Structures are given as C-alpha cells and as structure tokens.
Amino acid sequence: MPVTDAVRTNSVHTVAVSRAAAELVLKRGEFELAVHLGIVRVEARRSGGRPRVRQEEIDRLRAEDGFPGALRERVRTVGTAEGARLLGISPVRFTRLARAGCVTPVAFYLNRYRAVVWLYLAQELGGLAARSPELLVGRSPAWMRDRLDSGTDCRPRNWRSRRIERLLTLTDDPWARAAVAAQALDPAQLAEVVDDPYERAYFARVRPEPVFGPRGSSATRDAMARLMLAEEPDEILWRRVNLIMELDSARELRQAPRPGDQRRPDLEALGRPPVPAEPFEPAEPSRPVAPTEPTEATVPAKPGERVEQAEPAGDLARPAEPAVQGSPVGLLARLRLRRVRGDGRPRERAGRAAARSGGHHPSGRRRLLAGPRGGPGRESAAGGE
C-alpha cells in the first residue's frame, strides 16, 4: 500500500517538551525562554494539548558548535547586580539605564517581598556596551536626565512590547493573534473595542499558553496579568488600533463560536464525501372521521325506562393501556384500577359477595329492576330486600 503525504506528515517523530529540554540540557525556564525567543521551534497539536518538538530540531541544535554551552549562553539572563558587573558600572547606573529604556528586560520574577525583579539577556548587555559606550561613562545625556526626572520607568512598557511582538510571531492563527493583542487592554478598554462577549470569551480559549502550561504561584500570575496592561494613553491608543486590525482579519477568516453551534467534522478534509441530507416529506393532513351509526348500546332510553347496562368486552381485570406511553395516570383511574385488581374478575367477586349475603345474585336484581313499572319484577325485588 503506497504511503500518502498525510501519513508521512503524521509519522514525523516528535517528542514532548520535557524530553526535548532534557536532550538540549536546558532547564524549564531556559527552555521556555528559548521557545519565546525563537531559538527552539515547537509544533502545536491540532487536537489540543501540549506542543511537541521534532527530533530533527533537537538534532540541529545539538549539532551546533559549542553545544551545550553556546546554547545556554544564548538564553542566560542576569539581574541588576550581575548586569552592572558585566558592563563595568555601578548597580545604580545600570538601574538608571534600564528605567530610561536603554536596556529591555526579557523576563521577571517576584522576590520574597513580592517585588518585581527584572532579568536581562547577557548577550544584549554586551551589545549595549559595544553600541553605545558613552552611556556607560561620564554624565548622562540630557534626554535621559529629563526622562528620569519625570519619574518615567520604561521597563514594564518595553518588556510588554517585546513579549507581545514575540507572541505574535509564534502563531499564524488570526484569532490567537487578536487574543495576544487583547492582553494589553484592561476589561473596560477591551469591552469598548470588542463589544461581542462571545468573542472576548473566545480570546481566553485560543490565547497562547507557555509550553509547560500555567506555572508559578497565583501572585506571579497576577503580576503577569498586571504587567501586561498598557498604562500610558499613547500606548493604550496604539494597542487598541492593533487589536482592531487583528480582529478584522480574524472575522474575515471565521466567526467566533457561539452557544448552540454544532461542530461537525470536515468530511472533505478527511477524504470522504459529505452525506446528503434526507429529503423532507410533509406529513399527510388529517382527515375527518365519519360519524359512526348509533348502536344498541347508544340508543337513548325512553323516559321512565331503565336500560340494562351492556357488559364491557374483554377482560375487566386488565386496565386499558394509556394512549401515550409514560403519561401520568389520574387519581380516578388509579382508584378504579385498584378496585379492579382486588381479587380476580368482577363477576366472580360479585358472585361470592351474593353467596355470603343469602344467595341473591346482583345480576338477578338488575333483571328484576328492568321489568315494567308496577310489575312482579319490582315486587320480587322488594321482597328480596
């Protein structure tokens, strides 16, 4: 049997991200940063779940010169103290450079006092020393002094811009890109741009997650959500415009799912023809039922005349089935059913009762009462009583 392209695609050997991190000699945080920076490429699964890494991607990185030291150097992060030591300046000057926007953080963590500690790429700090050596010595430029005197801190904004841009490059789905752009707006701003609540709920489902899933304490996740929100008016306006552009592209591709939408498999994509719908045939109109001829039991009796009741056909001990199965039975029907189910058929039970009372049969009483008015039948009935 020939192997199709689909089978070749599905047969590509992939490994879990935990195994890929172990083979690349990277810690969890280093591996996530490598994926975030685009150093390690992962593949998202269409059926959901954690992304996986191709074995050929792992072999490519392991074949590079200086592995694993060179790979770990590319994702090495430093704090303020170590970054100042690498640049040969004081920690205070390094902090001023970072606050002025000369250095962009790449990650952060919370210390024991729940204060944000920014982390920087060691390679980028070396690039700053080679690109702008005047910032490391002497008096700070005038623009830098004005920015710092006004209390500006560019670290959250630069980190936020860098993270959003990297997340946008890691996905091609328009709805996922719109969800990433929506992270920079608070709920009030987001509701003004996206007035459809189903689209806002869809953002939470398609938003890219870390390769190892949500991790860290609740305080870290809250700090992440807080730092992702735009603060300055010009940044808010810029994020709103970007979200509108991404949302227009997503709406052109497909609409956000809504309650009641049925997800049916794409049969054409699976190589099977779609099943045609069965034709709809309207039900035949109901016809009026012709009135039946009056029978002997339905002939009205003359005034003053007693008519003998006709005996019901069939077994009286078995009640009639309800018209609709599962419909509730009324109180009167339950009482009649209980009386009928006492101890056998009604005729036998009536005969036993008559024998106990003196030998008179109730059916004979009915025949006497059915006689003519003033006749012997009524006298016999009176004598019997």
Side-chain angles (χ1 to χ4, degrees):
M1 177 179 178
V3 180
T4 60
D5 295 337
V7 175
R8 292 194 186 98
T9 303
N10 296 333
S11 62
V12 174
H13 182 54
T14 60
V15 299
V17 292
S18 57
R19 179 179 173 182
E23 293 188 10
L24 295 176
V25 199
L26 295 176
K27 300 179 182 179
R28 290 172 62 97
E30 294 175 341
F31 185 84
E32 287 184 350
L33 186 56
V35 174
H36 180 70
L37 297 176
I39 300 175
V40 179
R41 296 188 294 267
V42 298
E43 293 185 354
R45 305 177 66 180
R46 294 184 178 180
S47 59
R50 297 284 180 265
R52 300 180 65 86
V53 184
R54 291 192 177 189
Q55 185 62 43
E56 59 183 17
E57 177 71 8
I58 300 176
D59 298 339
R60 180 186 66 83
L61 294 172
R62 292 177 62 91
E64 292 181 351
D65 297 337
F67 178 85
L71 178 60
R72 302 194 63 179
E73 183 65 22
R74 296 171 64 181
V75 296
R76 185 168 71 96
T77 57
V78 295
T80 300
E82 190 174 358
R85 184 181 58 83
L86 290 177
L87 295 178
I89 59 178
S90 64
V92 176
R93 192 178 186 96
F94 183 88
T95 302
R96 289 172 60 88
L97 291 174
R99 290 175 61 92
C102 301
V103 181
T104 301
V106 71
F108 76 93
Y109 70 92
L110 299 181
N111 59 9
R112 59 181 178 177
Y113 305 105
R114 295 192 175 183
V116 177
V117 179
W118 297 104
L119 299 175
Y120 309 87
L121 283 176
Q123 287 188 345
E124 291 185 355
L125 297 182
L128 174 65
R131 183 176 63 255
S132 302
E134 67 279 2
L135 297 177
L136 306 180
V137 295
R139 188 177 177 84
S140 301
W143 63 267
M144 182 176 174
R145 294 196 305 269
D146 295 341
R147 185 175 295 179
L148 294 176
D149 293 341
S150 63
T152 303
D153 189 357
C154 297
R155 289 176 295 181
R157 180 169 181 171
N158 290 346
W159 170 84
R160 183 163 48 247
S161 299
R162 181 173 191 167
R163 179 174 179 83
I164 292 177
E165 293 301 325
R166 286 303 310 169
L167 290 177
L168 289 177
T169 58
L170 294 178
T171 179
D172 296 331
D173 184 30
W175 279 103
R177 293 175 58 89
V180 171
Q183 285 183 299
L185 299 177
D186 59 16
Q189 296 282 345
L190 181 60
E192 292 181 1
V193 179
V194 187
D195 55 354
D196 190 349
Y198 298 111
E199 292 180 344
R200 297 196 300 269
Y202 191 45
F203 287 161
R205 295 171 51 186
V206 299
R207 183 180 300 124
E209 295 289 343
V211 292
F212 290 103
R215 65 184 185 91
S217 61
S218 59
T220 302
R221 293 192 294 269
D222 293 343
M224 172 73 74
R226 184 177 65 255
L227 291 173
M228 285 295 296
L229 299 179
E231 299 175 351
E232 300 297 330
D234 59 336
E235 184 186 5
I236 293 176
L237 179 59
W238 174 247
R239 294 304 173 189
R240 288 169 65 105
V241 172
N242 287 343
L243 177 57
I244 292 174
M245 297 174 59
E246 297 291 348
L247 189 59
D248 291 341
S249 301
R251 287 170 176 171
E252 292 178 359
L253 178 64
R254 65 179 185 273
Q255 296 295 325
R258 299 174 181 275
D261 293 348
Q262 297 181 356
R263 296 185 177 181
R264 299 179 178 179
D266 192 357
L267 300 180
E268 296 182 359
L270 298 177
R272 291 179 290 177
V275 180
E278 296 182 359
F280 173 76
E281 296 182 359
E284 296 183 358
S286 59
R287 299 178 180 178
V289 181
T292 58
E293 294 295 333
T295 59
E296 182 180 356
T298 60
V299 175
K302 296 180 181 181
E305 181 181 0
R306 293 180 179 271
V307 180
E308 182 180 358
Q309 299 291 334
E311 297 294 337
D315 191 1
L316 295 179
R318 183 178 58 188
E321 296 292 336
V324 180
Q325 186 175 1
S327 61
V329 182
L331 178 60
L332 296 178
R334 290 199 299 269
L335 293 176
R336 289 194 298 268
L337 181 61
R338 184 180 302 174
R339 185 172 64 251
V340 170
R341 287 180 178 177
D343 55 350
R345 291 190 295 271
R347 288 182 178 275
E348 297 178 359
R349 188 168 63 254
R352 290 194 298 268
R356 288 195 299 268
S357 61
H360 300 283
H361 199 279
S363 59
R365 175 183 176 85
R366 282 201 301 272
R367 286 193 294 269
L368 291 175
L369 292 177
R373 182 179 300 178
R378 180 170 295 276
E379 294 175 358
S380 300
E385 292 177 355

